[in-house]
Amino acid sequence: QVQVVESGGGSVQAGGSLRLSCAASGSIGRIDTMGWYRQTPGNEREMIASIRSDGGTNYGYFLTGRFTISRDSAKNTVYLQMNSLKPEDTAVYYCNVKGITFGGIWKFDDWGQGTQVTVSS
């Protein structure tokens, strides 16, 4: 069993910044990928950014360098630094963690409960 918990969401004015955190815990043998997604009502969840165990990153096509993903492997934690926020960034932000459970038997692909980010104009 793997638990994924996000934190750091909140309300901010346009142009402001927020830093989201996501910590994974439980029966973790190895984490392969940690990523951030977001979703607005009536729309599909979209990928913002992901980071692999080797540090390689992928970003969603819609980003223009405003968001940066980073990872603290020792803490099983991933961060999303969001700068120059816009009202259209308002969404529920979810963390996803993929890896292998302790003992190397089972793969896991778990989501957090989400954290709300609201950007006002």
Side-chain angles (χ1 to χ4, degrees), residues 14 16 22 29 33 35 40 42 55 60 63 69 77 79 85 90-91 94 106 108 114 121:
C22 168
T33 305
T40 53
L63 292 178
I69 191 170
T77 298
Y79 306 97
L85 283 162
T90 296
Y94 295 91
W106 303 106
F108 65 85
S121 58

Side-chain angles (χ1 to χ4, degrees), residues 5 8 20 26 33 37 39 43 46 48 52-53 58 61 63 66 74 76 80 84 99 101-102 104 108 111:
V5 179
L20 304 182
T33 305
Y37 294 71
Q39 188 171 23
N43 294 308
E46 61 181 356
I48 300 170
R52 301 186 302 271
S53 58
N58 288 304
Y61 70 96
L63 292 178
R66 297 185 296 120
N76 290 337
L80 185 68
S84 302
T101 59
F102 185 77
F108 65 85
W111 294 86

Side-chain angles (χ1 to χ4, degrees), residues 49-119:
S50 64
I51 185 166
R52 301 186 302 271
S53 58
D54 64 2
T57 57
N58 288 304
Y59 287 90
Y61 70 96
F62 57 90
L63 292 178
T64 57
R66 297 185 296 120
F67 293 4
T68 303
I69 191 170
S70 61
R71 175 174 175 173
D72 185 336
S73 296
K75 297 181 179 179
N76 290 337
T77 298
V78 64
Y79 306 97
L80 185 68
Q81 178 66 42
M82 305 186 293
N83 299 325
S84 302
L85 283 162
K86 304 175 181 180
E88 51 264 42
D89 293 318
T90 296
V92 178
Y93 285 67
Y94 295 91
C95 178
N96 175 258
V97 182
K98 296 181 176 67
I100 305 293
T101 59
F102 185 77
I105 299 176
W106 303 106
K107 291 184 178 180
F108 65 85
D109 182 349
D110 290 311
W111 294 86
Q113 79 288 351
T115 185
Q116 176 70 44
V117 171
T118 302
V119 184

